[in-house]
Amino acid sequence: KRDKADSHVWFSQAQADDDPDTLRLETDLREALSAGDQLFLRFQPQFRLSTASLIGFEALVRWQHPVRGELSPADFIDLAEDAGLMTALGDAVVNLACREFARLRTEVGLDLPVGVNISPRELVAERFVERIAGCLDQYGLPSSMLTLEITENVLIESPTIAAEALARLRRRGIRIAIDDFGTGYASLSYLNRFPVDVLKIDKQFVRDILLDRNDCAIVNAIIGMAHNLELEVVAEGVETAEQMSLLKSLGCDTLQGYLLGRPMLGSDIAAFLRTAERI
Ligand code: C2E
Ligand code: CA
Ligand code: CA
Ligand code: CA
């Protein structure tokens, strides 16, 4: 069985590498990273349930491909990883997010954090913390306006490097969120060993929360234990009012999802702030 699984992995990777479309896209991504105006961010709002107020945004990368149109991370993140372009892509994303939020801060007085997704490879890369700090300095963005979203597996795979990076980020006042919580291997007690502020419950648990008693029990347990560890809990992928009220009754702190706001362009945030201060 094991051999079969391995050969399948080997086969699909070999196939992907030979695929002319993949090679072409890799060349295009290199170009996009050096030319600079094809990658952009969409920002999805997050709301606190108790006060019904907007508390921040998550930055989600997009690629305006000259031929294929707007591509989602699913179309190019793995490619960037395999091609060794992940730190370049990550730097571009951090740069775009800091620039946009510094602009919004000066132009409309926005004082809410932006969450940036950080791949495991970026977090453990050389001088990661210095590069983040350099970017904040460059745009004059306060560290309180940046949250980094990392996945739990990097804490297990590279605990020493990750712990050191997180401690240094925390000392600078940058908040850390654990993304996709529940889909990886970390337990809540393990998380407690790292300086973490926020826990994001993956949308796969939210999707069927009204239908599947197991999913509901998992979300309930995550919220209870997270609160005991004094972590703030965000539920992602909230699409219906019923999901929202169930999450509220379970004590979830904050929500993100299509129900409350689609990922939007930075240039639309000012108008959004005027209309949607409250849910
Ligand atoms: P994620 O960090 O879990 O982000 C949430 C994803 O759920 C986003 O997909 C978002 O558009 C989508 N979403 C938001 N609300 C809803 C909803 O109500 N229902 C459903 N079904 N989906 C919702 P997106 O933008 O396609 O990003 C997918 C993943 O790609 C992200 O998952 C994240 O892991 C990764 N990603 C996105 N941007 C970046 C980035 O800048 N850097 C890195 N390293 N990864 C990124
Ligand atoms: Ca995320
Ligand atoms: Ca997720
Ligand atoms: Ca994710």
Side-chain angles (χ1 to χ4, degrees):
K1 183 150 195 239
R2 195 158 168 193
D3 282 345
K4 231 181 177 171
D6 287 350
S7 66
H8 172 73
V9 167
W10 173 84
F11 177 71
S12 52
Q13 276 175 355
Q15 206 181 35
D17 290 347
D18 287 347
D19 179 355
D21 273 1
T22 306
L23 292 176
R24 177 71 235 203
L25 206 57
E26 184 181 321
T27 312
D28 292 349
L29 184 57
R30 278 182 207 282
E31 263 171 42
L33 284 165
S34 59
D37 57 350
Q38 294 176 22
L39 293 169
F40 66 101
L41 301 179
R42 291 193 180 274
F43 300 93
Q44 187 174 35
Q46 302 170 324
F47 291 85
R48 182 173 306 289
L49 269 163
S50 62
T51 54
S53 53
L54 179 70
I55 55 143
F57 293 83
E58 175 179 5
L60 297 157
V61 69
R62 300 290 182 263
W63 178 10
Q64 188 63 46
H65 188 278
V67 177
R68 300 183 197 207
E70 184 174 326
L71 300 182
S72 297
D75 301 318
F76 62 90
I77 289 282
D78 286 351
L79 175 81
E81 286 278 358
D82 295 346
L85 296 172
M86 200 58 230
T87 48
L89 178 61
D91 282 351
V93 168
V94 171
N95 203 65
L96 287 168
C98 290
R99 192 177 73 190
E100 193 65 47
F101 271 60
R103 183 187 68 78
L104 286 161
R105 182 170 177 259
T106 353
E107 288 179 8
V108 299
L110 182 71
D111 186 23
L112 296 174
V114 59
V116 175
N117 291 283
I118 301 296
S119 82
R121 202 179 295 274
E122 286 174 75
L123 182 72
V124 302
E126 196 110 9
R127 298 181 50 77
F128 173 72
V129 180
E130 286 81 358
R131 294 209 307 277
I132 295 284
C135 197
L136 290 171
D137 286 351
Q138 184 189 342
Y139 294 106
L141 191 72
S143 343
S144 59
M145 284 180 71
L146 183 65
T147 303
L148 300 183
E149 299 195 358
I150 62 169
T151 49
E152 56 198 321
N153 288 343
V154 67
L155 305 181
I156 294 179
E157 281 152 22
S158 318
T160 315
I161 305 176
E164 200 198 296
L166 296 189
R168 293 174 63 207
L169 292 163
R170 160 69 71 82
R171 278 201 294 277
R172 289 177 183 266
I174 296 164
R175 295 205 318 160
I176 307 296
I178 301 297
D179 209 358
D180 300 347
F181 189 76
T183 62
Y185 306 111
S187 64
L188 278 167
S189 61
Y190 191 84
L191 276 193
N192 197 29
R193 301 206 244 144
F194 299 90
V196 164
D197 307 282
V198 180
L199 214 134
K200 298 190 77 174
I201 300 178
D202 193 60
K203 58 177 180 288
Q204 81 176 60
F205 300 109
V206 172
R207 191 185 55 218
D208 297 330
I209 194 172
L210 288 128
L211 313 168
D212 186 327
R213 281 166 54 199
N214 291 331
D215 286 348
C216 187
I218 289 168
V219 170
N220 191 26
I222 293 177
I223 293 171
M225 288 180 66
H227 284 167
N228 284 333
L229 298 173
E230 295 180 333
L231 300 175
E232 172 160 332
V233 184
V234 183
E236 58 176 37
V238 180
E239 296 183 354
T240 69
E242 290 76 20
Q243 289 168 339
M244 176 164 82
S245 52
L246 179 51
L247 286 160
K248 189 172 186 177
S249 71
L250 295 176
C252 186
D253 303 297
T254 53
L255 300 185
Q256 188 182 337
Y258 296 158
L259 175 71
L260 302 168
R262 298 249 167 192
M264 68 188 86
L265 294 175
S267 53
D268 292 330
I269 289 183
F272 179 80
L273 293 174
R274 288 193 291 273
T275 60
E277 277 291 324
R278 293 181 174 275
I279 39 176

